[in-house]
Amino acid sequence: MTELRLSAYGRHRAAAFALAPVTLFSGASGSGKSQVLSAYEALARLGSGAELGEVFPDPGAAVPDQARPDAEQRRGFRIGCTIDGPAGPVRLDLAVQAEPALRIVGERLTAADGEVLLSTALRDPSRRTVQAAWLTGGSIGVTRAPLPDDRLGTALLPLRVAGSTPGQQRVLAAAEQAVVALRSVFPCDPEPALMRAPVALDGGRLRPDCANLADVLHRVRHECSTRHALLVEAARTGCAGPVHDLV
């Protein structure tokens, strides 16, 4: 994932964040750092097949600040990302209705040349589906079918597209690239109070709250000096003073 976009999410509007191997977010309390991380985690979980309600248990918290409902009392939010790989840069954009009912109302998967590979739209609010259209090519052009409104359509495409035409193969390559990248995300929200306490040696696999950071540092330091050196270099990037080691 090379870019995270918060078009309308919490405190953020028309915001785009470039993602590198090490990306540091800084700012005052209440500036929206946690919201950036929550959007990042939400996309990752949706890419892994999680239902919308599991990912957003409190969807109202994601609605942009001071957003007013429309005539039908609907409010929502929009997030997206760019994923680079063998298929080239692929954009994934998602529009979610938070009120009055949580549902995906629009999704778009776009290739680097601007060609839309997948698009979904809510056509009938009385049904819990969206109308999807994905590139097929040839005489058909696109294939249209309903998809559930509580799951990411991109993650469902590998189960629905046969890959029998060049257009379908392009859709599959982009969708699989996006899904692999999203499923590879490991979101962390460190809790400093937990990280300061001693911990037992227990395999050194990092937990999302980073409470076992000491165990992880011990394992990396003793098993892979190259990775430990990269970790120390990353710490130097993020700290104002000199960093000599991480123990």
Side-chain angles (χ1 to χ4, degrees), residues 56-71:
F56 296 104
D58 181 17
V63 175
D65 296 349
Q66 300 179 348
R68 296 181 178 180
D70 63 11

Side-chain angles (χ1 to χ4, degrees), residues 25-212:
F25 292 95
S26 64
S29 178
S31 60
K33 301 185 298 297
S34 294
Q35 290 177 336
V36 173
L37 293 174
S38 70
Y40 186 55
E41 179 180 5
L43 286 170
R45 294 184 63 189
L46 289 171
S48 297
E51 294 183 0
L52 200 62
E54 301 173 19
V55 177
F56 296 104
D58 181 17
V63 175
D65 296 349
Q66 300 179 348
R68 296 181 178 180
D70 63 11
E72 299 180 11
Q73 299 303 305
R74 296 177 301 185
R75 298 199 309 162
F77 52 89
R78 291 181 288 128
I79 58 178
C81 61
T82 299
I83 297 135
D84 207 349
V90 175
R91 287 176 57 101
L92 173 63
D93 295 287
L94 192 66
V96 178
Q97 175 186 292
E99 301 168 358
L102 180 64
R103 63 199 313 177
I104 294 173
V105 294
E107 178 181 348
R108 179 167 289 192
L109 189 67
T110 311
D113 60 3
E115 185 169 26
V116 177
L117 306 176
L118 166 72
S119 63
T120 72
L122 181 64
R123 301 298 186 192
D124 185 352
S126 66
R127 297 184 178 182
R128 294 310 307 247
T129 60
V130 291
Q131 182 64 33
W134 58 82
L135 179 67
T136 304
S139 59
I140 298 177
V142 297
T143 299
R144 303 182 189 278
L147 291 178
D149 67 353
D150 62 347
R151 292 183 183 272
L152 190 69
T154 298
L156 299 175
L157 280 183
L159 305 175
R160 301 290 298 267
V161 180
S164 55
T165 68
Q168 289 181 345
Q169 291 170 8
R170 190 179 190 196
V171 170
L172 277 177
E176 290 172 352
Q177 175 173 296
V179 170
V180 168
L182 292 173
R183 290 184 175 182
S184 300
V185 169
F186 180 68
C188 290
D189 190 4
E191 297 187 25
L194 300 178
M195 294 161 61
R196 298 187 182 104
V199 295
L201 297 180
D202 188 26
R205 293 178 62 86
L206 187 65
R207 302 172 191 163
D209 60 6
C210 298
N212 65 331

Side-chain angles (χ1 to χ4, degrees), residues 22 213-237 243-247:
V22 176
L213 181 62
D215 184 20
V216 176
L217 290 175
H218 180 274
R219 178 188 178 191
V220 175
R221 183 180 178 84
H222 287 85
E223 293 185 7
C224 186
S225 59
T226 299
R227 288 187 176 182
H228 185 74
L230 290 172
L231 192 58
V232 173
E233 184 61 32
R236 290 194 182 106
T237 302
V243 175
H244 302 289
D245 201 354
L246 273 174
V247 297

